[in-house]
Amino acid sequence: MTVLVAGHAVDDLYQGAVPAIVPFLVAERSYGYVAAAGITVAATLLSSVVQPLFGVLTDRRAMPWLVPAGMTVAGVGIGLCGLGDSYLFTWLAIALSGLGVAAYHPEAARLARRVSRDGHIGMSWFALGGNVGFALGPVLVTPVLAFGGLQASPLLMIPALIGGALTLALRGVRGEPAHVVAHTGRDDWGQFGRLTVVVTARSMVTFGLSTFLAIWVTQRVGGLVAGSAALVVLFGVGAAGTLLGGVLAGRWGRIRVVRVSYAVAVPAVAGIALVPGPAVYLMVALAAVALYAPFSLHTTLGQDYLPNRLGTASGVTLGLAVSVGGVAAPVVGAIAAVTNLQWALLSLTVLPAIAWVAARGLRRPAPFDARLSLRDYG
């Protein structure tokens, strides 16, 4: 599990790297807004669409080699993006990285669930790894490209190459299985569809906040440092909230934690837009806990609702539904342009309310069959 958590951090580091690379592409190659948006689309939209397809494939046959291979490809794509002046080459390199991210998640989530022996805390650690990795993307990219320019981008491959090699060294990932053991239980597509609504709504409010929070707090409190500090609170407290969700689920149950989290998120998000002065940081922290506590629980619930299609469930809850949330940012921006940023942020409160309503219809799934643990992986 330690290697899986670290590997998830390395893989998602390359998702977080893309927003940090775009300003360098704009500065060195004079990309316009449309071209810059195209780079983001290459990384996120393609990955989100392809990820469920990898889930379907891994449901038919376990493919543990996708874990180190996907991680490595994600890093190689980012490493190549700064070489060559062609926009098409850069776009394809970023798309290759997104493809690697998509290949990694379904099989890694399946393996993490089995290694954790159905432990919610174990899956929370796995989810935390991804959140930390995403946050570390700019931390890696900015100094490398600031000192070496885009030509230094191959250095960004190093974490992926090391992480891929370490993951490959695991016995459970090295051996390719001869067959996949049949799962028990009936797939509940109705409940899974309801869960997808919950995950998508959560993703949209999270994307909207992360995009405009720094701007809002800068205006509200004053100074660029204040805005950056708000993002640190959002992501830092959110990471702790991911672990807290697993602990609370073990005590109160996943469904209750999900419902309570989104009920709390409604006033918390509203408070960000309404509370004056430095007290806004308290509302940011509360919103972070409420929005991140259910994060890992979405994945385990999805796997339990589709016990015969664990890869598909992971691909949707970790890929498609999460990336689709990115459509919220342009909508929030349009609302801000017509009214103001405060009303735009207030509009985000509708999303956790939708998640709460949808979560009220969730039923407790049948227990995950932990006996189907590592036999598929050698």
Side-chain angles (χ1 to χ4, degrees):
M1 179 56 74
T2 300
V3 175
L4 284 171
V5 171
H8 197 191
V10 171
D11 183 80
D12 282 17
L13 180 151
Y14 293 103
Q15 286 186 303
V18 175
I21 290 174
V22 169
F24 290 94
L25 292 172
V26 171
E28 292 193 28
R29 299 180 183 174
S30 301
Y31 285 175
Y33 290 124
V34 174
I39 296 296
T40 302
V41 169
T44 59
L45 185 60
L46 180 64
S47 176
S48 66
V49 172
V50 173
Q51 200 162 154
L53 299 181
F54 278 107
V56 172
L57 290 176
T58 58
D59 284 333
R60 296 180 178 179
R61 178 180 177 80
M63 300 178 181
W65 55 270
L66 282 176
V67 177
M71 184 191 311
T72 303
V73 170
V76 169
I78 292 296
L80 293 176
C81 74
L83 305 180
D85 295 328
S86 167
Y87 179 81
L88 178 60
F89 178 86
T90 302
W91 193 94
L92 290 174
I94 296 292
L96 178 67
S97 178
L99 188 65
V101 171
Y104 172 88
H105 277 114
E107 197 69 7
R110 182 205 303 268
L111 182 56
R113 182 71 188 273
R114 293 177 173 179
V115 170
S116 66
R117 306 292 182 182
D118 197 28
H120 300 311
I121 295 178
M123 284 301 293
S124 295
W125 276 105
F126 178 73
L128 174 64
N131 291 334
V132 171
F134 190 92
L136 288 177
V139 177
L140 171 68
V141 169
T142 301
V144 171
L145 299 189
F147 287 100
L150 289 173
Q151 293 299 314
S153 64
L155 294 175
L156 302 176
M157 298 184 193
I158 294 175
L161 297 177
I162 295 175
L166 290 176
T167 305
L168 190 64
L170 281 179
R171 177 182 179 184
V173 176
R174 189 173 61 239
E176 189 168 346
H179 67 285
V180 179
V181 179
H183 296 281
T184 60
R186 180 179 62 87
D187 292 332
D188 192 336
W189 287 100
Q191 287 290 292
F192 185 76
R194 183 178 289 273
L195 177 67
T196 301
V197 173
V198 173
V199 176
T200 303
R202 180 261 177 198
S203 178
M204 293 177 72
V205 66
T206 303
F207 264 88
L209 275 181
S210 62
T211 302
F212 295 101
L213 180 64
I215 300 174
W216 171 245
V217 174
T218 296
Q219 298 173 358
R220 197 75 163 172
V221 178
L224 294 175
V225 174
S228 298
L231 288 178
V232 171
V233 172
L234 178 66
F235 295 131
V237 176
T242 303
L243 289 179
L244 179 63
V247 174
L248 295 179
R251 177 173 299 181
W252 295 337
R254 291 173 291 177
I255 302 297
R256 180 181 297 180
V257 172
V258 170
R259 291 172 180 167
V260 172
S261 294
Y262 290 117
V264 173
V266 174
V269 173
I272 292 175
L274 297 175
V275 171
V280 69
Y281 292 109
L282 295 177
M283 304 311 297
V284 172
L286 183 60
V289 172
L291 292 172
Y292 279 86
F295 184 73
S296 66
L297 307 182
H298 294 155
T299 302
T300 59
L301 282 170
Q303 291 172 336
D304 285 352
Y305 287 138
L306 300 183
N308 301 298
R309 293 175 173 84
L310 299 184
T312 300
S314 302
V316 171
T317 55
L318 288 174
L320 181 62
V322 172
S323 297
V324 165
V327 303
V331 174
V332 175
I335 295 174
V338 174
T339 58
N340 55 52
L341 188 53
Q342 184 177 44
W343 278 106
L345 291 175
L346 276 174
S347 71
L348 291 175
T349 59
V350 174
L351 296 168
I354 292 173
W356 176 75
V357 171
R360 283 179 60 83
L362 292 177
R363 297 191 301 268
R364 182 179 179 181
F368 183 84
D369 192 348
R371 293 173 299 175
L372 306 177
S373 54
L374 299 178
R375 287 196 291 162
D376 297 320
Y377 294 87

